Amino acid sequence: MSSLHEPWLLENGNLKGCSKEIRHGRTAHNMSSSSLRKKSDLTLVSKVRYVMLRQFLTNLQEVILGTKLSVLFPAIPLAIVAECYGFGRPWIFALSLLGLTPLAERVSFLTEQIAYYTGPTVGGLLNATCGNATELIIAIFALSQHKIDVVKYSLLGSVLSNLLLVLGTSLFCGGIANLRREQKYDRRQADVNSLLLLLALLCHSLPLLFRMSGASAALTADPTLQLSRASSIVMLIAYISYLVFQLFTHRQLFEAQEESEDDGDVISEEEPVIGFWSGFVWLVGMTAVISLLSEYVVETIEDASDSWGISVSFISIILLPIVGNAAEHAGAIIFAFKNKLDISLGVALGSATQISMFVVPLCIVVAWIMGIEMDLNFNLLETGSLALSIIAVAFTLQDGTSHYLKGLVLLLLYIVIGACFFVSKTPLSKGINTIVGA
C-alpha cells in the first residue's frame, strides 16, 4: 500500500523531507488552484500488478482526473481533430480556448509538485516563470505571426481581468458571504503590488505621451521604440528585484495561509502525489500542448471575429483572459467566500504584476531579438483604461478592509470597459509593425 499513498518512492528512493518551510512556502497562486483539485480514487489502480504500469496509471489519474475541470480535457483532441480535418475556424478557436482552461490549472499543480522536491525558493521561481505560461506562449506565437495588436490586447486584457474582474468578484462575493464579519487583509502585500503596477503604468504611458507630443508619427516612431526597449529592461530589473523581495528578504509577506482541516472542499496537500521526474515530464508535455492550442488560437482569432461579428480587441481583451484563466479566477473567488482575502489578493494582484512587469517587457525584448518593432504604446484608449483601473484598485485597497460595495464598483468598471471595447471596431494594424530592415 505504500505505492498507493507514496508513488514518488518508486522513482526517487527516499523523498527529501517535506519540511514546515516547504509546506508554508506555497504561494497564493498555488493555493488558489488547489481549490479546484479533488482526491483521486486509486483503488483500482493499486490492483495493477506491474509496477511501471501502476505508476503510469497513478500519475495519469492524478494529473488528468485530479481536477474538477477534467470534463474540459476532451476539447483538446476535438480541437486537434477540427484543425486536421478542416472544420470551421471559429470552432477551432472555441475548442482551443476551452482546452487551455484545464491546462493552465494543471501547470500550476505540476509546478507545486516539483516544488516539494526543489524547495520553496526554486519552486517560487518556477511558479513565477510558469504562472502565466498561457499568456506568454500565446503572445510569442502572435509575435511570430507579426500580430502585434493581438499581443498587446491579450496582455492588457489579462491585467484588466485580474484587477477588475477577479479582484472585484472576489471582494463582492466575499462581502456578500461574510456580511456579519469584518473582512481584513494584509495591506503590505497590496502596497508592494500597487507600487509595481504604477511603475508599469508609467512605462506604458511615457511612449504614448512621447508619441502624442511629437510633430509627426514618422519622426517619433524610432525614439518611441528605443524608449520602450529601455523601459522594458528597467521593468525586468524591477521584476527581478521583486522576486528577490518576495522569495528571500520578505518572504513572509507573500506566503499563503495554510488550509484548516475543517475545509473539506479544498485539499491541503502536505506531500507530493507524483515523483519529480514524472512531474517534470508532465510539465513539458502540458507546455507543448498549450503551445499547440495557442497556435490554433492565434491563427483563428480573426476568423472567429469575422464569424461572430465581434471585434478582435474585444475577443483578446475580454474573452481570452476570462476563459483562459477561469481556473485561477474561480479559485480566488472560492477563497474569498471563505474570508481568506490575502489569497484572493495574492492571485489577482500577483498575476497582474507578473504580466505587467515580466510578460509585457519580455515580449518587447523577444520582439527586439526577432527583429520586430513592438513598443509599449498601447494607444490612448487602452492605456487610459489601464491607468484608471490601476488607480481605482489602489484606492480600493488602501485601508486594509473590504466590503461588497468595493467589489461591485470594480465589477462595474470592468463592465463599462468591456462595453467600450465591444462597440469599438478598430481594425488590426497592418503594415505598421514591420520587421526591422524590411
Side-chain angles (χ1 to χ4, degrees), residues 9 11 32 53 97 125 130 185 216 223 235 237 257 269 276 287 320 348 350 373 381-382 385 389 399 404 408 412 419:
L9 294 177
E11 70 179 73
S32 172
L53 180 60
L97 205 54
L125 290 172
C130 301
Y185 51 84
S216 66
M235 293 165 73
I237 294 174
Q257 306 169 31
E269 296 176 316
F276 173 80
T287 305
L320 272 180
E373 297 182 354
L381 177 61
E382 289 79 359
S385 300
S389 300
D399 63 349
Y404 72 89
L408 180 61
L412 294 177

Side-chain angles (χ1 to χ4, degrees), residues 75-360:
I76 298 174
L78 288 176
I80 297 174
V81 170
E83 171 68 20
C84 293
Y85 287 92
F87 287 10
R89 307 289 280 177
W91 282 104
I92 299 175
F93 176 82
L95 290 171
S96 300
L97 205 54
L98 286 177
L100 287 172
T101 302
L103 290 174
E105 189 274 333
R106 291 288 84 186
V107 166
S108 175
F109 164 75
L110 291 169
T111 55
E112 182 181 345
Q113 293 296 305
I114 293 175
Y116 281 110
Y117 301 94
T118 60
T121 301
V122 177
L125 290 172
L126 185 63
N127 182 70
T129 305
C130 301
N132 293 98
T134 304
E135 291 90 342
L136 181 59
I137 293 173
I138 289 177
I140 291 176
F141 272 106
L143 273 178
S144 65
Q145 299 182 25
H146 309 294
K147 296 183 178 181
I148 309 299
D149 287 343
V150 173
V151 178
K152 293 181 177 180
Y153 287 148
S154 62
L155 295 180
L156 173 67
S158 296
V159 176
L160 293 179
S161 67
N162 278 293
L163 290 180
L164 300 181
L165 178 62
V166 180
L167 184 58
T169 307
S170 298
L171 296 182
F172 178 75
C173 294
I176 294 296
N178 300 275
L179 278 174
R180 301 183 182 277
R181 300 170 61 184
E182 185 178 20
Q183 289 193 290
K184 292 184 178 182
Y185 51 84
D186 191 346
R187 273 186 53 194
R188 295 174 296 176
Q189 181 185 162
D191 289 343
V192 171
N193 285 284
S194 298
L195 186 62
L196 289 171
L197 287 171
L198 288 172
L199 173 60
L201 176 59
L202 175 67
C203 293
H204 280 282
S205 301
L206 288 179
L208 173 64
L209 297 175
F210 189 81
R211 176 70 66 89
M212 293 179 65
S213 64
S216 66
L219 295 176
T220 58
D222 187 65
T224 300
L225 181 63
Q226 301 303 324
L227 175 61
S228 298
R229 290 171 175 174
S231 299
S232 297
I233 295 175
V234 171
M235 293 165 73
L236 289 174
I237 294 174
Y239 184 73
I240 294 173
S241 303
Y242 168 66
L243 289 181
V244 173
F245 183 86
Q246 180 183 21
L247 299 176
F248 295 98
T249 62
H250 291 73
R251 180 188 296 173
Q252 70 278 2
L253 299 183
F254 298 89
E255 289 176 351
Q257 306 169 31
E258 282 295 308
E259 284 298 290
S260 64
E261 296 180 357
D262 297 332
D263 294 334
D265 296 334
V266 181
I267 304 170
S268 180
E269 296 176 316
E270 295 187 353
E271 52 189 26
V273 295
I274 61 176
F276 173 80
W277 288 110
S278 293
F280 181 78
V281 171
W282 276 106
L283 182 60
V284 172
M286 290 285 182
T287 305
V289 178
I290 289 175
S291 301
L292 179 64
L293 295 184
S294 299
E295 184 178 8
Y296 291 168
V297 167
V298 173
E299 289 178 348
T300 58
I301 186 171
E302 293 179 69
D303 297 303
S305 173
D306 295 336
S307 176
W308 299 341
I310 303 175
S311 65
V312 174
S313 61
F314 181 81
I315 294 177
S316 302
I317 294 175
I318 304 299
L319 294 186
L320 272 180
I322 290 178
V323 179
N325 294 323
E328 182 179 317
H329 296 178
I333 295 169
I334 290 173
F335 278 105
F337 269 111
K338 298 178 179 180
N339 203 17
K340 298 180 183 293
L341 286 185
D342 284 323
I343 297 179
S344 299
L345 264 64
V347 172
L349 296 179
S351 293
T353 302
Q354 187 178 57
I355 294 169
S356 300
M357 299 297 296
F358 174 66
V359 180
V360 172

Side-chain angles (χ1 to χ4, degrees), residues 24-45:
H24 287 259
R26 302 176 69 187
T27 64
H29 186 278
N30 293 134
M31 295 290 288
S32 172
S33 296
S34 68
S35 63
L36 294 175
R37 296 171 196 163
K38 60 182 181 180
K39 287 186 177 180
S40 301
D41 186 3
L42 301 176
T43 304
L44 293 178
V45 175

Side-chain angles (χ1 to χ4, degrees), residues 46-59:
S46 63
K47 297 179 181 179
V48 177
R49 292 185 176 183
Y50 301 101
V51 175
M52 295 295 294
L53 180 60
R54 181 171 66 247
Q55 182 180 339
F56 172 75
L57 292 176
T58 298
N59 290 339

